[in-house]
Amino acid sequence: MPAGSIRARVRAEMIAEIKTVARRHLATDGANLSLRAVARDMGMVSSAIYRYFASRDELLTALIIDAYNAVGDAVESTEARVDRADFRGRLLAIGHAVRSWALANPAEYALIYGSPVPGYAAPQDTTVAALRTATVLVRVFVDGSDSGALRPSGDQLDDGVHRDLKAAADSIAPGLDPEVLARGTIAWIHLFGAVSFELFGQLNNVIEAREAYFDYQMRRIADLVGV
Amino acid sequence: MPAGSIRARVRAEMIAEIKTVARRHLATDGANLSLRAVARDMGMVSSAIYRYFASRDELLTALIIDAYNAVGDAVESTEARVDRADFRGRLLAIGHAVRSWALANPAEYALIYGSPVPGYAAPQDTTVAALRTATVLVRVFVDGSDSGALRPSGDQLDDGVHRDLKAAADSIAPGLDPEVLARGTIAWIHLFGAVSFELFGQLNNVIEAREAYFDYQMRRIADLVGV
DNA sequence: TGTACATCAGTGAACGCGCGTTCACTGATGTAC
DNA sequence: TGTACATCAGTGAACGCGCGTTCACTGATGTAC
């Protein structure tokens, strides 16, 4: 089946439609995604899905990769519009991009950043897509560091932590000071902590001004990490 | 059935055993808890569970309340051992208590702080237990504020956020400056963000020195909130 | 341009399993006199 | 202290539903000559 044939195009459209329908189901059923329910919604018999995905897990994996890529796209394009020298602006843009995407796609957010799906082990393929967003954030710290605006604060890091962060820096941003990266990971973790908190309902009946509250947090974290 | 009778005692033991077995299942199946599996493990017929819990949701609710109380117990007793005037020590103790409990009881942690269980709506009863841990943390900020060690930093809060935090302060810690409470919620959110990140596998293959890394984060957050 | 064959999509039935919940029942334990 | 009755725990069968996956099949679409 040559790539450009009609059959290939129809096939690609079917795959896309299966994923779209599956995403709709994620929203109501969480990760207990049912192949039969997806097939039913598409007016097919359940076994027909197996022409496109070898198993339920394979479909889940595809959805996970798509989700990582979707946040990655959103973050990359939002961040790219900010002045390169405005490090704080870039960090805040990343934060708001993640949050906006998560609010628009809560089930997919939960799929990749929520509690792990019981009985599902993510294959290696997902990690490449997962790294995209992290890379954008780390680059802010690399650039800030290179420009001299961001300098190590003199925190003494535990030896083990230093080693871990050095290894991480070597693979994703060679030359980046582990201590600066440590600050970056704090921003990273707070960002996802804040979004998860809001999305998973922990702010219910407490904070109503959510966007402003999120912005407040991100600014304080930016203060903390020195950006 | 008088409260002290043999039957009442046996009944209480049965309820406790059902919950213990159910907790074991949470660990492998996540929130897709199966009443039949629990009954099977106890050597009973599935319908027998209904003598003790009216439905699967009611059992889940009991597990959720127990979990909130368990973290609450752990946090309260750990925090109580710290010098009252050592506000930073109290905050760090709370953080480590939450993390330790979460590592020891990952499934229960996920149940209360992870992605919401699809199709399950938590009844009002759970919120009382949920508040216990928050109260311990807020008290640190109240005490710090009263002692003068912790003073508003002069951040200007958005009006809506100010209103929300004022209302929250009024109900949980009357008189507490909303701006101080805002700092408290940052520590709160980062704490749970960091624990969730670790527990849900986001640190895998990146950070190995986890306790030290957690401690590092909590210290930086303590710096930020001025404690 | 037409024909023969290979590829592929989708069907429908089936396997073997799971689930929550209800209901009439047996037999044991407790309570009131 | 003994007996009659009420309460309760647990059984076993059943209802009605769900699921993932396999398999032999039909019929349509593509490919090679």
Side-chain angles (χ1 to χ4, degrees):
Chain A
M1 181 173 57
S5 71
I6 293 190
R7 242 191 205 164
R9 213 188 54 217
V10 171
R11 188 177 171 78
E13 281 166 9
M14 285 298 293
I15 289 179
E17 191 181 342
I18 290 173
K19 292 198 288 191
T20 302
V21 172
R23 268 186 280 269
R24 218 164 42 223
H25 278 271
L26 277 184
T28 54
D29 312 334
N32 323 346
L33 181 64
S34 155
L35 285 190
R36 292 188 104 111
V38 171
R40 231 177 288 130
D41 274 22
M42 295 187 61
M44 298 168 94
V45 110
S46 70
S47 52
I49 302 281
Y50 287 83
R51 294 285 156 202
Y52 302 96
F53 294 94
S55 68
R56 197 193 80 119
D57 273 13
E58 201 176 272
L59 173 55
L60 261 185
T61 299
L63 294 175
I64 287 172
I65 292 176
D66 281 8
Y68 276 124
N69 279 321
V71 217
D73 286 346
V75 167
E76 282 173 9
S77 74
T78 307
E79 194 262 354
R81 283 196 291 272
V82 181
D83 173 16
R84 295 293 83 192
D86 178 7
F87 305 116
R88 167 173 285 232
R90 285 166 68 184
L91 177 62
L92 296 179
I94 292 169
H96 283 283
V98 170
R99 177 170 177 273
S100 299
W101 182 85
L103 289 178
N105 307 277
E108 289 172 86
Y109 178 88
L111 188 61
I112 55 181
Y113 295 111
S115 355
V117 180
Y120 171 84
Q124 207 59 27
D125 327 16
T126 61
T127 57
V128 180
L131 266 176
R132 285 180 55 191
T133 307
T135 305
V136 178
L137 183 124
V138 169
R139 205 169 299 134
V140 174
F141 286 79
V142 170
D143 291 354
S145 200
D146 287 351
S147 80
L150 209 71
R151 41 185 74 254
S153 61
D155 296 344
Q156 70 279 39
L157 286 179
D158 167 89
D159 285 351
V161 173
H162 186 93
R163 211 175 308 121
D164 291 342
L165 290 170
K166 179 99 181 60
D170 284 350
S171 81
I172 198 180
L176 182 60
D177 187 315
E179 205 269 316
V180 172
L181 181 56
R183 301 244 156 181
T185 62
I186 285 193
W188 178 254
I189 290 181
H190 195 93
L191 162 52
F192 286 96
V195 171
S196 296
F197 227 67
E198 175 174 350
L199 224 69
F200 298 165
Q202 310 278 358
L203 295 185
N204 291 352
N205 307 320
V206 183
I207 303 289
E208 302 305 329
R210 299 196 169 169
E211 169 125 31
Y213 179 62
F214 179 78
D215 194 62
Y216 163 74
Q217 290 181 72
M218 288 306 289
R219 286 178 193 281
R220 291 297 76 74
I221 291 293
D223 293 344
L224 174 64
V225 300
V227 93
Chain B
M1 184 173 54
S5 71
I6 294 189
R7 244 191 205 162
R9 214 189 52 218
V10 171
R11 188 179 172 77
E13 280 166 9
M14 285 298 293
I15 289 179
E17 192 181 340
I18 290 174
K19 291 197 289 191
T20 301
V21 173
R23 269 187 280 269
R24 220 165 38 225
H25 278 272
L26 276 185
T28 53
D29 312 333
N32 322 345
L33 181 64
S34 155
L35 284 190
R36 290 187 105 110
V38 171
R40 231 178 287 129
D41 274 22
M42 296 188 59
M44 298 168 95
V45 111
S46 69
S47 52
I49 302 279
Y50 287 82
R51 294 283 157 205
Y52 302 95
F53 293 94
S55 68
R56 197 193 80 118
D57 274 14
E58 202 177 89
L59 173 55
L60 261 184
T61 300
L63 294 174
I64 287 172
I65 291 175
D66 280 7
Y68 276 123
N69 279 321
V71 218
D73 286 346
V75 167
E76 282 173 9
S77 74
T78 306
E79 194 262 355
R81 283 197 289 272
V82 181
D83 173 17
R84 296 293 83 193
D86 179 7
F87 305 116
R88 167 174 285 231
R90 286 166 69 183
L91 178 63
L92 295 180
I94 291 169
H96 283 283
V98 169
R99 177 171 176 272
S100 299
W101 182 86
L103 289 177
N105 307 277
E108 288 172 87
Y109 178 88
L111 187 61
I112 54 181
Y113 295 112
S115 357
V117 180
Y120 170 83
Q124 207 59 27
D125 328 16
T126 60
T127 57
V128 179
L131 265 176
R132 284 181 54 191
T133 306
T135 305
V136 178
L137 184 126
V138 169
R139 206 170 300 136
V140 174
F141 286 80
V142 170
D143 291 354
S145 200
D146 287 352
S147 81
L150 209 73
R151 42 185 73 255
S153 61
D155 296 343
Q156 70 278 39
L157 287 179
D158 166 271
D159 285 351
V161 174
H162 186 92
R163 211 175 308 122
D164 292 342
L165 289 171
K166 179 98 180 62
D170 284 349
S171 81
I172 199 181
L176 182 61
D177 187 315
E179 205 270 315
V180 172
L181 182 56
R183 301 248 155 176
T185 62
I186 285 194
W188 178 254
I189 289 181
H190 194 93
L191 162 53
F192 286 96
V195 172
S196 295
F197 227 68
E198 176 174 349
L199 224 70
F200 298 165
Q202 310 278 357
L203 295 184
N204 291 352
N205 307 320
V206 184
I207 304 289
E208 302 306 328
R210 299 196 170 170
E211 169 125 30
Y213 179 61
F214 178 78
D215 194 61
Y216 163 75
Q217 289 181 74
M218 289 305 290
R219 287 178 192 281
R220 291 298 77 73
I221 292 292
D223 292 344
L224 174 65
V225 301
V227 92

